[in-house]
Amino acid sequence: MLKNAQHAVAFTGAGISLESGIPTFRGENGLWSKYDPKFLELDYFYRNPQEAWRLNIEVFYQHLARTKPNPAHRILAGLEKKGLIKAVITQNIDNLHQQAGSNNVIEFHGSSNRLFCIECNQQVEFKWEYLDSLPPTCQNCQGILKPGYIFFGEPIPEPARTLAFQAAETADLFLVIGTTGEVQPASFLPVIASRNGALIIEINPAKSNYYLDITDIYLPGGATHFMTKIEAGLAGQ
Ligand code: NAD
C-alpha cells in the first residue's frame, strides 16, 4: 500500500518517542500521573515563569539532552528518502524526526529547539547556557524567553497549521503512530485525511480514539516493532 500511495503522510504522537525514553502524557506512567498540567498553561507561565521553566526542564529538556531517535524515527526518515512518505506531521516537540534525517517535518505544536521572547517575539535557537539562570531572558530586550512549543491557551503556530491541514487533505495514505487522538485540533487531522479518502493505518499498542471510527488497518503494538516489519516488508518486495 505504501508503494502504491502517491502522497503518504505520517502523523506521530508521543508514543513514537516513548522507545527513545521520553514519557508520554497519558497512559500508565504518563506525565499527567505525576505532574499537574498547569505547568503547561500559558497563564501559569506568565505568572510564574521561573517555576514553569523549572518544571519544563524537569519534564522535557532534561530528557531531550540524552535522547536519540529510535528505529521508528529512522525508518520513517528512510521512507521519505525513498519517496514513499511525503511528510511527517508531528505533535512532538523533541526534534527526533529531524535528528533521524526526516526533512519535511511539520511541527504542529512547535519545538523545544527554539525559544521565543514573550516581549519582542525574537526567536533564538535553544542552547543550554540560556538556562544558567531562570527564567532565561532575551539578549535583545531582556524580556522572558519561552519554549518554542505551544502551551495550553496558545494557537497552533503558522505555517505548521496550514501545512498540516493541507497535507491531511491531499494524503492518500495516513500513517498514524503513537497518538491517543485526544489533543485538539491535531486530533482532527486523521479524520480530515479519512474524509478525503486516505487509507488510515494506525500503529499503537492501545486502541486510540480513531480505532472504531476511521482506522482501516490497525497494527497493535509498538512503533519500532511495526516500522521494522514495514521496512522488512518493503525490502522483501
Ligand atoms: P499521549 O501521551 O496522549 O499518548 C501516547 C500514545 O502513544 C498512546 O495512545 C499510547 O497507547 C501510545 N503508545 C505507547 N507506547 C507506544 C509505542 N511503543 N509505540 C507507539 N505508540 C505507543 O500522546 P499524544 O496523543 O501524542 O498527545 C500528547 C501531547 O503531548 C502532544 O500534543 C505532544 O505535543 C505532547 N508530548 C510530546 C512529547 C514528545 O515530544 N516526545 C512527549 C509527551 C507529550
Side-chain angles (χ1 to χ4, degrees):
M1 289 166 185
L2 263 174
K3 280 205 158 175
N4 290 334
Q6 301 299 310
H7 199 102
V9 171
F11 174 59
T12 64
I16 195 172
S17 296
L18 187 68
E19 288 167 284
S20 290
I22 304 178
T24 59
F25 276 163
R26 296 172 185 77
E28 212 181 323
N29 300 319
L31 292 168
W32 293 158
S33 64
K34 300 188 196 88
Y35 291 93
D36 185 334
K38 77 173 182 204
F39 85 91
L40 276 182
E41 282 169 12
L42 194 58
D43 285 355
Y44 185 78
F45 183 84
Y46 278 110
R47 279 185 280 113
N48 310 282
Q50 193 175 22
E51 178 62 3
W53 257 110
R54 194 188 66 71
L55 286 164
N56 274 271
I57 293 168
E58 195 174 306
V59 169
F60 287 127
Y61 281 91
Q62 68 171 14
H63 290 292
L64 300 178
R66 49 175 183 253
T67 40
K68 292 195 185 76
N70 64 48
H73 296 105
R74 285 197 289 270
I75 292 166
L76 273 181
L79 292 179
E80 185 188 334
K81 287 202 174 61
K82 288 186 182 129
L84 296 174
I85 293 262
K86 300 293 185 226
V88 177
I89 306 170
T90 189
Q91 298 169 80
N92 297 341
I93 49 99
D94 55 27
N95 206 39
L96 291 181
H97 287 298
Q98 291 91 332
Q99 282 182 41
S102 286
N103 286 316
N104 191 11
V105 182
I106 301 169
E107 294 175 309
F108 202 75
H109 291 155
S111 172
S112 56
N113 231 17
R114 301 182 286 274
L115 302 175
F116 283 99
C117 174
I118 62 173
E119 300 297 336
C120 72
N121 214 25
Q122 170 146 300
Q123 182 181 323
V124 290
E125 194 183 326
F126 174 76
K127 290 196 185 86
W128 280 98
E129 63 207 51
Y130 280 115
L131 306 184
D132 285 347
S133 90
L134 298 181
T137 49
C138 173
Q139 288 171 348
N140 191 31
C141 75
Q142 305 310 311
I144 291 170
L145 293 174
K146 180 192 162 293
Y149 46 83
I150 57 167
F151 283 31
F152 296 124
E154 285 190 273
I156 304 301
E158 289 292 359
R161 185 184 165 285
T162 301
L163 291 173
F165 279 97
Q166 279 170 355
E169 279 162 20
T170 50
D172 55 359
L173 187 154
F174 217 62
L175 182 58
V176 180
I177 309 175
T179 181
T180 49
E182 284 183 25
V183 179
Q184 292 180 1
S187 59
F188 300 140
L189 292 165
V191 179
I192 290 167
S194 175
R195 280 195 197 137
N196 282 278
L199 181 84
I200 309 294
I201 303 179
E202 194 181 356
I203 302 177
N204 197 320
K207 289 173 182 165
S208 72
N209 287 352
Y210 304 117
Y211 173 74
L212 277 182
D213 293 332
I214 60 164
T215 299
D216 296 300
I217 298 175
Y218 173 51
L219 304 174
T224 294
H225 175 74
F226 275 111
M227 288 309 294
T228 306
K229 275 183 175 275
I230 287 173
E231 187 186 42
L234 285 164
Q237 280 184 6

